[in-house]
Amino acid sequence: ENFLTQSPGTLSLSPGEEATLSCRASESVGRNNLAWYQHKPGQAPRLLIYGASSRASGIPDRFSGSGSGTDFTLTIRGLEPEDFAVYFCQQYTTSPFTFGPGTKVDLK
Amino acid sequence: QVQLQESGPGLVRPSETLSLICTVSGDSVSSISFYWGWIRQPPGKGLEWIGSLSSVGSPYVNPSLKSRVSISVDTSRNLFSLRLNSVTVADTALYYCARHGRGLRRPFDYWGQGALVTVSS
């Protein structure tokens, strides 16, 4: 099983600042099949990034993903009020597909 | 727009079977291009993939749950379902249904809002 860890657990920032979130896999993620999701309480998770760096349909360009192998990063440039949420990563190459525990981006 | 909605009992007794349905609108579960999956999140814990299937072929299930999970698709009602038997309190979780993109090894591009299932006597 490919275990994913995320850091930090919580990121306290102000609107307009940049958020850098990390996702690390215990094994290399083949084909960089790594996704990032945004999750707000009571809502369905929202796909942001797939293939480590491709934005999903309708996702603003302030969201960007990078990385390969075992280390991946989600960057949110110029935080908007609606960006304060939990973000989690997922690898979808190797079954069982696994998720990271999430990083909470909250208001400083 | 694709929408998914989970439904089922919110309370299940220990040792009994948890049953959930995911109703799909805006897409057809018959499409051989897409896979449909179940994911859960116990309180205070991370997400766990339960299993996925398409309208053809066998389902793919997390080995940690394989002995207790059954996933099926009902093309006539455009839904898919989850059955988890012999539940314990550890199965208490928010259960999500979701659609993979075109293929099993694709991210989940549409999710339901989740259904809370509590296992308690």
Side-chain angles (χ1 to χ4, degrees):
Chain A
E1 183 169 334
N2 196 347
F3 292 95
L4 303 183
T5 57
Q6 290 186 243
S7 60
T10 302
L11 198 51
S12 297
L13 294 168
S14 300
E17 290 191 299
E18 178 173 297
T20 302
L21 289 66
S22 172
C23 176
R24 179 164 289 178
S26 61
E27 306 168 9
S28 183
V29 178
R31 301 190 177 190
N32 289 334
N33 281 350
L34 191 288
W36 289 93
Y37 301 86
Q38 178 190 69
H39 194 195
K40 298 179 181 178
Q43 296 186 18
R46 177 191 183 196
L47 175 65
L48 300 174
I49 301 288
Y50 64 94
S53 60
S54 298
R55 269 188 301 276
S57 176
I59 301 304
D61 60 7
R62 65 179 181 273
F63 291 93
S64 64
S66 63
S68 64
T70 60
D71 291 293
F72 300 89
T73 301
L74 174 69
T75 302
I76 312 171
R77 292 188 170 81
L79 279 164
E80 298 285 346
E82 62 269 26
D83 298 337
F84 292 93
V86 174
Y87 294 84
F88 56 90
C89 55
Q90 181 220 355
Q91 67 82 18
Y92 51 92
T93 282
T94 305
S95 178
F97 308 128
T98 49
F99 295 86
T103 290
K104 183 178 182 181
V105 178
D106 67 10
L107 195 57
K108 188 174 182 181
Chain B
Q1 182 171 347
V2 180
Q3 293 186 314
L4 296 90
Q5 179 67 60
E6 306 87 351
S7 60
L11 179 65
V12 182
R13 306 295 184 196
S15 80
E16 294 187 348
T17 297
L18 179 160
S19 296
L20 290 172
I21 284 171
C22 181
T23 302
V24 178
S25 58
D27 196 2
S28 171
V29 297
S30 301
S31 171
I32 61 173
S33 298
F34 293 102
Y35 278 75
W36 308 89
W38 289 97
I39 304 103
R40 69 179 182 178
Q41 184 172 31
K45 296 188 178 181
L47 292 153
E48 177 182 35
W49 171 69
I50 299 170
S52 301
L53 81 170
S54 72
S55 60
V56 297
S58 300
Y60 295 81
V61 177
N62 192 321
S64 69
L65 297 167
K66 193 168 187 176
S67 63
R68 299 195 291 132
V69 164
S70 173
I71 301 174
S72 60
V73 62
D74 185 336
T75 56
S76 66
R77 295 195 291 164
N78 209 40
L79 58 82
F80 59 105
S81 61
L82 168 70
R83 288 174 60 85
L84 178 65
N85 58 36
S86 304
V87 298
T88 70
V89 294
D91 294 309
T92 293
L94 192 54
Y95 285 77
Y96 294 97
C97 60
R99 189 189 82 169
H100 290 261
R102 293 186 178 274
L104 177 66
R105 285 174 173 75
R106 297 293 294 170
F108 294 105
D109 56 1
Y110 289 98
W111 296 63
Q113 291 194 316
L116 179 62
V117 179
T118 301
V119 178
S120 175
S121 56

